[in-house]
Amino acid sequence: MQADLPAHPLLLRPGRELPGPGAWEGVFGRRAPLEVEVGFGRDDALLRRAKARPERDFLGLELKRDRVETYLSRAARLGIRNLRILPGRAEVVFGVMLPAASVAAARILFPDPWPKDKHAWNRLLQPFFARELRRTLEPGADLLLATDDAAYAAQMRSVMDGDGGFEGGPADERTVFDGTTIFERKGLAEGRKGNWFLYRRRASAAAGALPVR
């Protein structure tokens, strides 16, 4: 967490603007569906979505300070008020800061693939993280995933299908996403095709799945 970032109306620093888990209504000043995007990077997709859906609240997670500061400036210039930026790790945010069944939709687009086998344990989509997604997503909530790394795509599908709390699978990008991302365009230029997955949180945990905590 980068608590040393200067204050900004759209910035959330745990312990400051975000006093504790479950304080989201106070952050946005209202009760509205909350969408979370992990690792928005330098893309404007999250800005477009927040601008187009004023009836919803949006939370963007990003670790790199320069990207956070740039995004805050861009959002402010666009007059976006239903977006907050949290400079923190997704594992911590979903594991500690988001209450159960509090997220209406989540997106994890082209996360770091950690392509070497010996580094694969660093990938975000692991069984423990799928459990936290299942815990925090409300029944019926959509989870959109994308990667251009073949090994990571196989892992994403294996982890999500194995969790038991979701239904869905491979998806056509044209029907689930508006536009392209910087990372996707880079991959296509280097000959890598994007793999997209759309999952939906089941209304109740499937047989054999771990119960939602």
Side-chain angles (χ1 to χ4, degrees), residues 52-213:
R53 304 291 300 274
E55 77 282 3
R56 289 186 165 234
D57 292 330
F58 293 83
L59 175 66
L61 311 182
E62 178 57 61
L63 288 174
K64 295 190 176 181
R65 181 179 181 129
D66 61 328
R67 296 177 181 178
V68 169
E69 292 177 329
T70 299
Y71 225 72
L72 289 170
S73 297
R74 292 168 66 188
R77 287 198 300 271
L78 291 170
I80 296 174
R81 298 181 179 181
N82 59 329
L83 170 67
R84 297 294 184 272
I85 303 302
L86 201 163
R89 298 189 65 85
E91 301 94 320
V92 176
V93 175
F94 279 89
V96 177
M97 300 180 184
L98 291 168
S102 64
V103 178
R107 288 181 166 193
I108 307 174
L109 306 182
F110 300 94
D112 193 329
W114 295 95
K116 294 183 179 180
D117 290 342
K118 64 181 180 180
H119 296 152
W121 63 271
N122 287 297
R123 292 172 181 160
L124 178 60
L125 261 295
Q126 307 280 357
F128 80 90
F129 189 66
R131 289 195 294 271
E132 293 305 330
L133 289 170
R134 173 159 44 87
R135 182 186 68 84
T136 53
L137 286 170
E138 64 185 29
D142 284 344
L143 170 65
L144 183 62
L145 307 173
T147 182
D148 59 11
D149 183 89
Y152 201 176
Q155 179 174 324
M156 284 181 173
R157 188 169 187 181
S158 175
V159 168
M160 297 308 301
D161 291 350
D163 179 82
F166 297 88
E167 57 187 1
D172 183 342
E173 176 188 358
R174 293 169 296 181
T175 66
V176 297
F177 188 69
D178 52 341
T180 60
T181 76
I182 290 175
F183 286 116
E184 180 182 16
R185 292 193 294 273
K186 179 180 178 182
L188 288 171
E190 297 173 357
R192 298 191 304 275
K193 178 181 179 294
N195 298 273
W196 293 76
F197 302 91
L198 180 63
Y199 287 93
R200 181 161 293 164
R201 171 72 168 83
R202 295 183 188 274
S204 60
L210 294 176
V212 177
R213 291 184 284 110

Side-chain angles (χ1 to χ4, degrees), residues 41-53:
R42 294 182 294 272
D43 284 295
D44 63 1
L46 177 58
L47 295 175
R48 294 197 312 268
R49 195 166 176 83
K51 187 77 171 178
R53 304 291 300 274

